[in-house]
């Protein structure tokens, strides 16, 4: 069974990217309206409001062409709203007023917009094919009742050739009949000319289902496919429950939703800078719940402040600018031995930094004289990675050093990752 929270299926293709107002045929407007109704049935009325708002209300209405403005009117206000007798200015004002009125509801349902910004493939195909057929002089005009129980479809051909072949309808969940231009039955395939063929489809009756002790009327899902020699198109109708999702179930779901969210105080680290993290394209962002963790003052009455007593968000900028540590090694090396062999698998991708300290090192005299001598030690890593740890002794009497005497050193190695541009955000509500 399907309801607002349990619907699943093949949802594809962003509507805003598909809708090309320049090529759209007015007789196909009913499919747009029907697609929006499918969102209301499958998701919610709020989801439909959100998709209308984010598709059109963040645009400069004055810069839209007449066709684009008409497309927005059809999607927002319904069939027949694409222009009418209103002046251009009145049309812009009406759209602007709708956007202002529905702004808060749309923004608060940003997640619903993310889930519902795609159309079920049947509705998309129907709209596309309706316009494609129109460009081939095949005019298909669907009329769908508001309750989606009755569908009438007119089909006529206005092309230069003699006719176009019509192969009839395929339907699921509907019972359909065809009427020819002379109000009589059709023999399929039928040659459609410049006179209308009418299809009348009636949805199958609702069945009665029990759910948690409550009775519901459930309309089955349905499809209507119009088949011509050119190309078919399909109308889709989702399963509908009346009444909708039960009140008690809805309340239970609402109570569970906060439990599925991240806890207050959760820190996240992301590559998105603030202007992109707060973008409408990021459906998980909610400005009342997440803020930048850069030490800024908390907004008034945040749950984070009530829990912690803190007045400011934690400042994670030092962490963001620090180097990452992949691995640490400590080894012993004799003079001349290389540190490269100490590199580990865990730290092989990092940049290694080395520190050497003496472990066992002695000077070496020129001779056995003991007067006025001084030791000279060298401890370092050369450009090849070899450890140099050696000592010699200077004899003041003879003014000469003894030869270098190799020793041993302790070596500390750190594998560091370079700084990356990341940003921290904290959940406060």
């Amino acid at each position: 069974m399907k309801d607002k929270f349990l619907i699943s299926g093949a949802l594809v293709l962003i509507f805003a990217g598909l809708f090309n107002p320049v090529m759209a045929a007015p007789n196909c407007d009913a499919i747009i309206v029907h697609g929006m109704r499918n969102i209301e049935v499958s998701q919610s009325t709020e989801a439909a409001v959100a998709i209308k708002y984010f598709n059109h209300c963040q645009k400069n209405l004055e810069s839209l062409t007449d066709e684009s403005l008409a497309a927005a009117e059809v999607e927002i206000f319904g069939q027949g709203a694409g222009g009418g007798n209103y002046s251009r200015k009145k049309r812009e004002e009406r759209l602007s007023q709708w956007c202002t009125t529905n702004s808060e509801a749309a923004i608060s349902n940003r997640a619903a917009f993310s889930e519902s910004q795609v159309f079920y493939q049947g509705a998309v195909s129907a709209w596309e094919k309706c316009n494609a057929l129109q460009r081939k002089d095949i005019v298909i005009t669907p009329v769908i009742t508001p309750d989606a129980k009755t569908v009438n479809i007119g089909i006529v051909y206005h092309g230069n050739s003699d006719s176009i072949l019509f192969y009839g309808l395929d339907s699921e969940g509907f019972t359909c009949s065809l009427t020819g231009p002379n109000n009589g039955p059709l023999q399929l395939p039928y040659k459609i000319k410049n006179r209308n063929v009418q299809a009348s489809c009636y949805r199958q009756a609702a069945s009665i289902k029990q759910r948690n002790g409550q009775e519901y009327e459930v309309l089955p899902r349905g499809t209507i496919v119009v088949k011509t020699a050119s190309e078919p198109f399909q109308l889709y109708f989702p399963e509908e429950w009346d009444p909708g999702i039960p009140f008690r179930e809805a309340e239970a779901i609402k109570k569970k939703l906060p439990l599925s969210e991240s806890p207050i105080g959760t820190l996240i680290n992301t590559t998105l800078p603030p202007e992109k993290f707060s973008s409408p394209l990021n459906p998980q962002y909610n400005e009342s719940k997440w803020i930048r963790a850069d030490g800024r003052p908390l907004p008034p009455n945040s749950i984070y402040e009530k829990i912690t007593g803190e007045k400011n968000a934690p400042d994670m900028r030092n962490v963001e600018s620090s180097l990452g540590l992949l691995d640490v090694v400590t080894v012993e090396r004799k003079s001349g031995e290389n540190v490269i062999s100490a590199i580990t698998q865990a730290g092989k991708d990092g940049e290694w930094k080395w520190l050497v300290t003496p472990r066992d090192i002695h000077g070496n005299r020129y001779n056995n004289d003991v007067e006025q001598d001084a030791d000279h030690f060298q401890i370092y890593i050369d450009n090849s990675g070899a450890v140099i740890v050696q000592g010699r002794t200077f004899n003041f009497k003879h003014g000469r050093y003894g030869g270098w005497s190799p020793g041993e050193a302790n070596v500390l190695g750190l594998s560091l990752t370079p700084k990356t541009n990341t940003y921290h955000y904290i959940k406060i509500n």
Side-chain angles (χ1 to χ4, degrees), residues 41-57:
V41 170
S42 300
Q43 300 291 323
S44 66
T45 301
E46 292 80 6
V49 169
I51 199 169
K52 292 175 186 178
Y53 179 87
F54 288 112
N55 276 352
H56 300 293
C57 292

Side-chain angles (χ1 to χ4, degrees), residues 9 21 24 39 42 49 54 75 87 121 130 139 162 215 253 262 266 347 356 397 412 417-418 427:
I39 290 180
S42 300
V49 169
F54 288 112
E75 185 175 335
S87 67
Q121 178 59 45
C130 182
V139 181
D162 177 61
E215 192 172 90
I253 291 172
S262 302
T266 297
V356 291
K397 179 178 179 181
L412 171 67
T417 58
K427 191 167 187 289

Side-chain angles (χ1 to χ4, degrees), residues 10 21 24 39 62 168 239 244 249 273 316 325 354 356 384 388 394-395 425:
I39 290 180
E62 294 181 359
E239 183 181 68
E249 291 185 36
M316 304 300 293
L325 181 63
W354 303 98
V356 291
S384 69
I388 305 300
F394 185 75
N395 187 293
Y425 303 88

